[in-house]
Amino acid sequence: MGGAVVDDMPPGVKAPDGGWGWAVLVGCFVITGFSYAFPKAVSVFFKELIREFDVGYSDTAWISSILLAMLYGTGPLCSVLVNKFGCRPVMMVGGLFASLGMILASFATSIIHIYFCTGVITGLGLALNFQPSLIMLNRYFSEKRPLANGLAAAGSPVALCCLSPLGQILQYQYGWRGGFLILGGMLLNCCACGALMRPLLIPKRPQELDKSTPRAAEEKKPQPKKKLLDFSVFKDRGFVIYTIAASIMVLGLFVPPVFVVNYAKGLGYEDTKSALLLTILGFVDMFARPASGLIAGMKVVRPRSVYLFCFAIIFNGCTDIIGSQAKDYGGLVVFCIFFGMSYGMVGALQFEVLMALVGTEKFSSAIGLVLLMEAMAVLVGPPGAGLLLDATHQYMYVFLLAGCEVTLSAVVVTLGNFLCIKRKRQDLEDKLEMAVTEAEKERLNCGAEGEDDNKGEKDPKGKENGNVGAVKAEEMMIVEEMGKEGRKEE
């Protein structure tokens, strides 16, 4: 049987929850690893760049900042391109951009050239891969989606554990220019991952069935043009609450991994021992993400995944606050273990909750808008923590600020859920009760009319049944609306 290629997953196509979806998951795993780990892995070349171009550390730090800003800030652009051209071509072009940026950077003659090549071009290429890969993962998995999200998110710590040592080896063997050139070649694997994103297929029906079935006639009608960027997601209270909370969370979420090594150095420990803290954090994170996805996929937990997400955020915030009181290396090791657990939980659940809130149809627009809002927080968070460190010269206050910001985001989610979404659901219940009362009155009126006209009408019950049917249809619409709101709330 042949099939028609579909990239936007119409309602008639069911997510396969396996099959080729596992290949899509592998591609998403690799893309997630490159996207999140690459800005950190590039930092191993900073000392060579400082020596080569005679600049300061703050100048080289802009390379990672621009990479992250492009990854998050180009979210709406990625949404428009995906809705217009589909995921596969966007990802393959993005892979070419990511590779081209690093190759051009290997010939740079000033730090400005690296800003543009590595920061802008490579950052745009990674963005054009990261967002479409998550969209395709959402289309291929439904029942197993939490587990798939957890496994894909594990690509970040795995890639970080591999790329950072690899970068040091390349720098030692070939210098920073040779290292950039080889990393650019590695990023061509993004094109291979993009090729894995095969659109779903709609099985074709026989022609004779097509002509006779009402559904076929419905499909032949011209479909409304799909919006390139759907701003109607902001009408969803759950999405607005999620976006606000995620933006606050990102202010402090990435701060501890940036400062924990220097925290240990400030306590007097050597560089190698201090750098081991990030390895411990990444190792725990590597197993926490798929484990969190497995737990979120359980029948009892999945309808309440938003509460599990809240717990993960509070866990992360409290870990930061308690870890700020660490006075020795052992305390920092314990902090990294618990931070890795909570950080992995947040990483595995953040996009799963967003997918559950907005659904498959609007996810491509929703993720772009969320990433744009988070981009502003990413640019403010770590530099703001750095300013606080310069003012106080105490890492304790940096970790306390990060913990308070993350915990505040959990409070926003919890209060928004109870005060806004619960109230809306109560309003729908009141509407349903009123509709039932009106339906009972309508039945009595129809019954009275039927008794008066039972001899003068051919089908005295037809009118009654028609009226009651209309009322029942109205009841069903309200029930369906309540069901949708309930699912969004969960």
Side-chain angles (χ1 to χ4, degrees):
M1 293 287 291
V5 175
V6 173
D7 196 36
D8 57 353
M9 192 174 177
V13 179
K14 184 180 179 182
D17 272 313
W20 190 257
W22 298 116
V24 172
L25 175 58
V26 171
C28 192
F29 177 90
V30 174
I31 294 298
T32 303
F34 276 132
S35 300
Y36 278 118
F38 206 81
K40 301 171 186 175
V42 171
S43 63
V44 302
F45 298 98
F46 283 178
K47 287 185 178 179
E48 288 291 323
L49 295 175
I50 291 171
R51 188 180 300 112
E52 175 84 14
F53 300 114
D54 192 23
V55 294
Y57 182 82
S58 60
D59 297 316
T60 57
W62 275 103
I63 299 172
S64 296
S65 297
I66 295 171
L67 265 170
L68 286 172
M70 293 299 294
L71 181 64
Y72 283 89
T74 56
L77 173 63
C78 295
S79 297
V80 170
L81 293 175
V82 166
N83 289 333
K84 186 172 181 62
F85 301 108
C87 292
R88 178 187 274 177
V90 170
M91 288 184 67
M92 297 185 75
V93 171
L96 293 175
F97 271 98
S99 176
L100 179 64
M102 291 302 294
I103 293 172
L104 291 177
S106 67
F107 300 98
T109 57
S110 72
I111 195 69
I112 302 297
H113 294 163
I114 296 182
Y115 289 163
F116 179 74
C117 296
T118 301
V120 177
I121 300 178
T122 298
L124 176 62
L126 291 175
L128 293 176
N129 275 270
F130 175 62
Q131 188 173 319
S133 67
L134 290 177
I135 294 171
M136 288 302 294
L137 191 70
N138 181 41
R139 292 173 183 171
Y140 267 89
F141 288 92
S142 178
E143 296 296 327
K144 298 178 182 177
R145 191 179 65 207
L147 176 61
N149 273 311
L151 291 172
S156 175
V158 170
L160 185 59
C161 290
C162 296
L163 286 178
S164 293
L166 177 63
Q168 292 175 344
I169 293 172
L170 292 176
Q171 178 180 282
Y172 178 76
Q173 294 289 338
Y174 305 103
W176 72 268
R177 294 185 186 273
F180 273 31
L181 191 64
I182 294 172
L183 288 176
M186 289 181 61
L187 285 175
L188 284 173
N189 286 293
C190 293
C191 296
C193 294
L196 293 174
M197 305 298 163
R198 186 174 68 189
L200 293 170
L201 300 175
I202 301 178
K204 287 184 177 179
R205 300 182 191 84
Q207 291 184 357
E208 60 273 10
L209 290 178
D210 285 351
K211 295 178 182 179
S212 59
T213 56
R215 185 177 177 182
E218 189 75 19
E219 289 178 354
K220 290 179 181 179
K221 292 181 179 179
Q223 299 294 326
K225 189 176 181 180
K226 187 176 181 180
K227 296 179 180 178
L228 295 179
L229 192 60
D230 191 355
F231 288 98
S232 66
V233 290
F234 284 108
K235 296 179 181 178
D236 187 337
R237 295 183 184 183
F239 174 77
V240 174
I241 294 168
Y242 176 91
T243 304
I244 295 172
S247 301
I248 298 173
M249 177 185 71
V250 170
L251 282 172
L253 185 65
F254 299 125
V255 169
V258 173
F259 288 95
V260 68
V261 174
N262 290 326
Y263 194 172
K265 291 179 181 178
L267 294 176
Y269 297 99
E270 60 184 13
D271 292 357
T272 306
K273 197 172 183 179
S274 300
L276 184 62
L277 292 172
L278 275 184
T279 305
I280 296 171
L281 192 156
F283 184 78
V284 175
D285 185 14
M286 191 185 306
F287 293 96
R289 295 188 183 226
S292 300
L294 192 63
I295 294 172
M298 298 171 62
K299 290 184 178 179
V300 179
V301 179
R302 189 172 185 185
R304 301 167 181 84
S305 59
V306 66
Y307 299 111
L308 182 62
F309 184 52
C310 286
F311 169 76
I313 299 174
I314 294 174
F315 184 15
N316 186 272
C318 292
T319 301
D320 292 343
I321 293 172
I322 297 172
S324 67
Q325 306 303 314
K327 302 298 182 183
D328 54 19
Y329 189 78
L332 289 177
V333 169
V334 174
F335 163 76
C336 287
I337 292 173
F338 283 96
F339 183 85
M341 292 171 59
S342 59
Y343 189 69
M345 291 178 68
V346 173
L349 295 172
Q350 57 178 340
F351 294 119
E352 164 60 26
V353 172
L354 179 60
M355 290 175 185
L357 280 173
V358 301
T360 302
E361 184 180 353
K362 295 184 178 181
F363 180 70
S364 60
S365 296
I367 188 174
L369 295 169
V370 167
L371 289 177
L372 177 62
M373 298 297 294
E374 290 183 353
M376 303 175 189
V378 165
L379 290 176
V380 172
L387 290 175
L388 179 63
L389 180 62
D390 291 338
T392 62
H393 302 286
Q394 293 287 333
Y395 286 95
M396 177 184 70
Y397 297 113
V398 173
F399 280 64
L400 280 173
L401 175 63
C404 292
E405 289 168 343
V406 173
T407 305
L408 177 62
S409 67
V411 174
V412 171
V413 173
T414 305
L415 291 179
N417 182 64
F418 282 103
L419 297 181
C420 296
I421 300 178
K422 288 281 188 182
R423 183 179 298 174
K424 187 174 181 181
R425 188 177 183 185
Q426 183 62 44
D427 293 342
L428 288 170
E429 289 176 354
D430 294 340
K431 288 181 181 179
L432 178 62
E433 185 178 352
M434 292 176 61
V436 171
T437 305
E438 292 295 329
E440 290 175 353
K441 292 179 181 179
E442 188 70 23
R443 288 192 189 98
L444 292 174
N445 292 335
C446 291
E449 290 176 4
E451 289 178 1
D452 293 339
D453 302 332
N454 59 351
K455 291 184 180 179
E457 299 281 344
K458 286 186 178 180
D459 188 8
K461 294 183 180 180
K463 184 178 179 182
E464 176 185 352
N465 291 338
N467 291 334
V468 175
V471 175
K472 286 184 176 180
E474 182 181 354
E475 290 181 56
M476 291 302 297
M477 289 175 64
I478 297 176
V479 171
E480 287 178 4
E481 185 180 357
M482 282 190 61
K484 291 178 181 177
E485 294 298 327
R487 285 194 293 274
K488 288 180 180 177
E489 172 199 357
E490 291 167 351

